[in-house]
Amino acid sequence: MSELIVNGQKVVFKAHKDNEQVSIELDGEKYSFSLAGSSQNALILKEGDSLFPVPIKSYKNSTYLIVGGKDVLVKSVSARKKKKGEGEGHMLSPMPGKIITVLVKSGDVVKKGDTLLIMEAMKMEHAIKASKDGKVIKVFFEEGEQIEGGIELVEMEN
Amino acid sequence: MMIKKILIANRGEIALRIISTCREMGIKTVTIFTDIEKEYPHALHGDESFNIGSGPLSDTYLNQAKLIEIAKKSNADAIHPGYGFLSENATFARLVEKEGLIFIGPTPEHMELMGDKIGCKQALEKMDIPFVPGYHGDNQEPLHLLAKAKEIGFPLIVKASAGGGGKGMRLVLKEEEFISSLESAKREALNAFGNDLVLIEKYILKPRHIEVQVMGDTHGNYLHFYERDCSIQRRHQKIIEETPAPHLSDKIRDEITKSAASLIKEIKYRGAGTVEYLYSPEDESFYFLEMNTRLQVEHPITEMVTNCDLVRIQILVAAGKKIPLKQSDIKQTGHSIEVRLYAEDPDNEFLPSIGKVLHVGIPTLKNVRLDTGYVAGNEVTINFDPMLAKLISWGENRDMARKKIIHSLDEVSFLGIKTNREYLKRILTTPEFGEGKIFTNFVEEFKDLLGPRELSNEELALSLAAQYLSKKTVQANSEDVAGPWDNLTEFRNI
């Protein structure tokens, strides 16, 4: 069994690849595809007699595709970035923006509500505060860096 | 005297647009770019380019002194401001002319006239330009307001003058309801804003935003290039524009375009401009909203149906030449639609997105044009406007133009960042859009039809298969032990 995250949802499936053929077993159904053609930016898959052009690019553990006209994002389950705050001690960025000031470093002890860093997004400043008392294990970004939304900014230990 | 070198005081797609026409005219171009834009196409495709550093816009693209300095250093004759930025800044226009350079745009006086809502209204009312019927006066006596309401006609809206956010607003459908609605609006306004002054405006059901492209020169020629319908907006930002305006009678088209042309003739307007109107389909009436004294983002659709180059005409006019066309030469042929691609996530409150553009894509259908300031490898940041590109189609009729854009949106993928690409397709494929039943509140009203679509199991399987068949794939977490499925060697090659 294999697992991947497709558009934020974990998908469990079986895959078998043989040269330029792949079969996927999903939800009890089997689908077979072959690679009819490829370029730097797209694949053309064939299922039976039907052709499916799939624009596709991979970068930094993510694969971006268009399937059936829809945007698809595939990531491996082990990817560090978590979309929703899973588990404790993870300070996530509320939206894409830029880190303006980092107020803590590895080893600092903080209290719940202390400002850990300040980011700018949508022309406003946002203070990222500690959600509980604890010790800073690692700050993942530096002042001036641009970040996406839902990214872990600071790792804390209880 | 013809202009020989133009400094383009802008960035992204509009800078490239201007370079394109300059190439055709044999005019040299100078472009500017900030540190993070070193590898953006607009930094690389002019004849000369200057790095304007980094920091807030006031230090870079809005830095008037720096722009003048660069124009002089590069020996440019003229400055084209594009749209946004300094394009409607009278101070800058004056500075440019004072420094002996040509500003490709209207006069500072006309920028000021059209930028001042009250002054503009006073000037235009004298010219018989229609405004949305309303009463904004000081006399708040209920019977006086009722008399005004009867003049305006029903339905109408009573609005708190101090207000916003929908508070102190009442829609009044019939004369009989007026007094009670007025009292209710005033009570709410007093509560919310501490002030119960109200204004009254005619209510337009399913209004449309229709604008007219105009152009004037210094030889007494004042022309219009027909209308554009920009009704599909989100939070007052245009996302889809088209021309001709669907379901607009020839009679009204004639009236609205003549109204715009006579306006610029009356004020002796020089350069490109757009007169914007609110159109009420119910009674075929239109009302002046505002005039934009610059070239607009959506100008390409006008170019596609009239077969004109508006940037070229802007440059000729700025060089003191006549517009090389008569009104009777300008005709609308076929239909053109433009969609604006934005770096935003429509399925997450339209929050802006950032990231590296991995692939842009090229439209392959005939008469489809992509105006974009990005190429693969460029980083999209929050420093600039989130518009990535404009995709424009032309077809013999509206439905063909519509189908072309829908197909082209799958070719212009902008892989690597979240965009409104798919959201635009959802709008274009609604039956209502297909029938041309558009109005300014379209996306709010049909919100439920415009949400994300689930991938079918087959599409999901296809996405997974693509992972395995592409050279650079994401690692799947598979169990170490090979199961019977992994050992399967015989399976059908279909």
Side-chain angles (χ1 to χ4, degrees):
Chain A
M1 294 301 285
S2 304
E3 289 180 338
L4 281 174
I5 308 224
V6 179
N7 283 352
Q9 310 261 29
K10 188 153 88 170
V11 179
V12 179
F13 62 98
K14 282 197 184 123
H16 183 94
K17 182 177 172 198
D18 178 19
N19 266 346
E20 306 216 308
Q21 318 251 23
V22 169
S23 60
I24 303 282
E25 188 181 327
L26 185 62
D27 260 1
E29 290 276 326
K30 279 185 213 154
Y31 304 88
S32 297
F33 302 98
S34 62
L35 184 65
S38 70
S39 70
Q40 266 204 322
N41 308 301
L43 302 177
I44 300 185
L45 301 194
K46 201 162 188 185
E47 186 188 18
D49 294 317
S50 300
L51 293 165
F52 296 97
V54 180
I56 181 169
K57 278 303 225 195
S58 292
Y59 182 66
K60 282 189 177 175
N61 293 322
S62 293
T63 302
Y64 304 83
L65 320 92
I66 296 184
V67 170
K70 302 180 190 115
D71 297 322
V72 181
L73 176 60
V74 181
K75 293 187 190 203
S76 68
V77 174
S78 60
R80 175 164 64 79
K81 296 165 190 175
K82 297 179 177 95
K83 274 293 156 187
K84 318 259 178 204
E86 284 163 13
E88 316 259 294
H90 299 289
M91 308 293 115
L92 302 182
S93 54
M95 62 184 87
K98 186 156 88 171
I99 307 286
I100 306 280
T101 321
V102 178
L103 296 162
V104 296
K105 59 187 187 302
S106 211
D108 285 353
V109 174
V110 297
K111 284 196 153 42
K112 177 176 172 177
D114 283 351
T115 300
L116 305 174
L117 44 77
I118 299 180
M119 62 177 280
E120 183 208 286
M122 315 270 278
K123 299 192 165 66
M124 291 185 303
E125 285 192 2
H126 305 263
I128 308 294
K129 300 185 176 174
S131 58
K132 60 215 290 133
D133 296 352
K135 187 160 94 173
V136 175
I137 296 179
K138 191 169 162 64
V139 180
F140 292 111
F141 296 93
E142 283 173 6
E143 290 179 14
E145 283 198 75
Q146 307 255 21
I147 51 166
E148 288 166 43
I151 303 281
E152 189 180 11
L153 300 170
V154 178
E155 197 186 344
M156 302 250 301
E157 182 196 82
N158 293 336
Chain B
M1 194 299 257
M2 190 49 211
I3 293 171
K4 297 199 186 69
K5 188 185 269 193
I6 293 178
L7 165 61
I8 300 171
N10 214 299
R11 59 176 297 280
E13 70 89 13
I14 193 65
L16 294 174
R17 167 76 193 85
I18 297 163
I19 290 175
S20 172
T21 288
C22 287
R23 292 253 181 274
E24 290 178 15
M25 295 174 78
I27 297 174
K28 297 275 184 211
T29 50
V30 181
T31 61
I32 53 179
F33 62 95
T34 57
D35 289 331
I36 50 168
E37 299 178 295
K38 280 194 181 99
E39 292 176 1
Y40 280 37
H42 75 272
L44 305 170
H45 293 296
D47 293 300
E48 296 171 44
S49 69
F50 288 79
N51 184 328
I52 50 177
S54 62
L57 287 174
S58 50
D59 289 347
T60 61
Y61 289 96
L62 303 179
N63 189 334
Q64 301 187 24
K66 200 179 253 180
L67 294 170
I68 300 287
E69 191 195 310
I70 292 171
K72 299 211 137 159
K73 188 158 173 205
S74 60
N75 280 317
D77 307 305
I79 297 185
H80 195 311
Y83 51 67
F85 287 165
L86 296 167
S87 62
E88 289 177 286
N89 187 309
T91 309
F92 182 60
R94 286 199 170 94
L95 179 62
V96 171
E97 309 218 319
K98 183 172 140 235
E99 297 286 339
L101 299 161
I102 296 173
F103 181 82
I104 301 174
T107 62
E109 291 74 28
H110 285 145
M111 286 181 193
E112 283 169 339
L113 172 64
M114 295 306 172
D116 164 18
K117 281 211 141 90
I118 296 174
C120 167
K121 190 160 197 250
Q122 288 172 347
L124 265 43
E125 265 170 344
K126 293 199 190 111
M127 288 177 225
D128 255 345
I129 304 278
F131 282 80
V132 178
Y135 176 73
H136 299 247
D138 298 326
N139 185 346
Q140 299 272 307
E141 267 287 293
L143 289 177
H144 182 81
L145 291 173
L146 175 61
K148 286 291 166 189
K150 281 165 35 179
E151 271 173 39
I152 291 166
F154 295 85
L156 52 75
I157 303 192
V158 178
K159 273 192 214 177
S161 299
K167 289 216 151 101
M169 259 175 72
R170 289 288 181 281
L171 173 61
V172 185
L173 299 171
K174 293 182 280 208
E175 190 182 315
E176 303 84 82
E177 303 167 359
F178 183 77
I179 296 287
S180 59
S181 294
L182 172 65
E183 282 167 2
S184 167
K186 283 166 86 79
R187 273 196 301 272
E188 195 170 276
L190 190 61
N191 226 357
F193 315 113
N195 163 346
D196 70 351
L197 290 174
V198 297
L199 59 90
I200 315 175
E201 256 172 20
K202 175 171 174 161
Y203 176 71
I204 298 171
L205 186 63
K206 301 213 160 154
R208 288 170 52 185
H209 173 119
I210 297 187
E211 60 187 37
V212 181
Q213 177 70 53
V214 291
M215 186 81 74
D217 65 23
T218 50
H219 297 263
N221 298 305
Y222 304 100
L223 308 182
H224 73 76
F225 286 75
Y226 291 98
E227 87 287 3
R228 295 185 285 256
D229 190 317
C230 308
S231 298
I232 306 289
Q233 302 174 7
R234 194 191 72 83
R235 303 251 180 97
H236 305 288
Q237 194 175 56
K238 296 170 185 171
I239 45 179
I240 302 179
E241 304 103 342
E242 60 179 296
T243 180
H247 309 301
L248 192 69
S249 68
D250 287 342
K251 172 173 165 284
I252 300 298
R253 176 169 290 110
D254 197 56
E255 282 177 28
I256 205 173
T257 51
K258 287 206 165 87
S259 159
S262 60
L263 165 55
I264 57 162
K265 183 173 180 174
E266 184 76 32
I267 61 175
K268 297 193 174 31
Y269 184 80
R270 168 193 90 193
T274 296
V275 186
E276 302 193 334
Y277 298 88
L278 206 59
Y279 172 69
S280 167
E282 240 190 335
D283 59 4
E284 288 195 318
S285 55
F286 57 88
Y287 310 103
F288 178 89
L289 269 181
E290 62 178 13
M291 178 174 179
N292 293 318
T293 54
R294 63 169 193 273
L295 186 69
Q296 302 220 165
V297 172
E298 60 272 20
H299 75 273
I301 56 175
T302 293
E303 295 185 322
M304 300 291 261
V305 302
T306 60
N307 202 22
C308 295
D309 181 336
L310 292 169
V311 174
R312 174 167 173 263
I313 302 176
Q314 276 189 301
I315 296 172
L316 290 172
V317 165
K321 312 255 182 271
K322 275 205 284 203
I323 298 173
L325 295 161
K326 292 192 302 290
Q327 187 66 67
S328 55
D329 293 326
I330 304 170
K331 301 203 191 306
Q332 283 176 311
T333 306
H335 199 99
S336 180
I337 298 179
E338 171 184 280
V339 297
R340 297 193 194 187
L341 276 148
Y342 285 104
E344 61 186 16
D345 188 352
D347 302 328
N348 184 18
E349 313 293 326
F350 293 90
L351 285 178
S353 60
I354 58 170
K356 195 198 256 308
V357 177
L358 301 178
H359 180 57
V360 172
I362 307 172
T364 61
L365 297 180
K366 209 167 53 145
N367 290 317
V368 179
R369 167 178 159 181
L370 174 67
D371 284 16
T372 179
Y374 293 87
V375 289
N378 290 156
E379 289 279 345
V380 174
T381 65
I382 50 162
N383 293 291
F384 300 107
D385 188 90
M387 190 176 82
L388 296 166
K390 292 145 36 180
L391 188 56
I392 303 122
S393 72
W394 179 92
E396 277 106 52
N397 57 52
R398 186 174 189 267
D399 202 52
M400 288 178 74
R402 188 186 66 97
K403 290 193 164 92
K404 280 186 183 181
I405 284 263
I406 291 170
H407 178 87
S408 305
L409 276 167
D410 281 344
E411 293 181 318
V412 180
S413 60
F414 271 99
L415 289 176
I417 38 173
K418 292 234 190 294
T419 68
N420 63 345
R421 188 196 67 87
E422 219 194 294
Y423 179 74
L424 289 166
K425 281 175 61 180
R426 296 174 206 154
I427 297 172
L428 293 163
T429 50
T430 58
E432 288 77 9
F433 186 90
E435 291 163 25
K437 296 188 177 149
I438 55 180
F439 51 98
T440 53
N441 244 20
F442 192 96
V443 306
E444 276 85 38
E445 178 126 342
F446 295 115
K447 213 164 161 168
D448 296 335
L449 295 178
L450 303 177
R453 310 275 156 79
E454 290 279 311
L455 289 173
S456 67
N457 269 358
E458 189 186 27
E459 287 168 339
L460 194 45
L462 194 48
S463 309
L464 298 168
Q467 289 299 118
Y468 288 86
L469 291 170
S470 90
K471 300 264 189 289
K472 295 172 204 165
T473 58
V474 172
Q475 284 301 93
N477 267 0
S478 36
E479 287 170 72
D480 289 336
V481 180
W485 181 250
D486 295 90
N487 285 333
L488 198 66
T489 50
E490 282 175 18
F491 59 82
R492 282 166 61 209
N493 290 339
I494 304 165

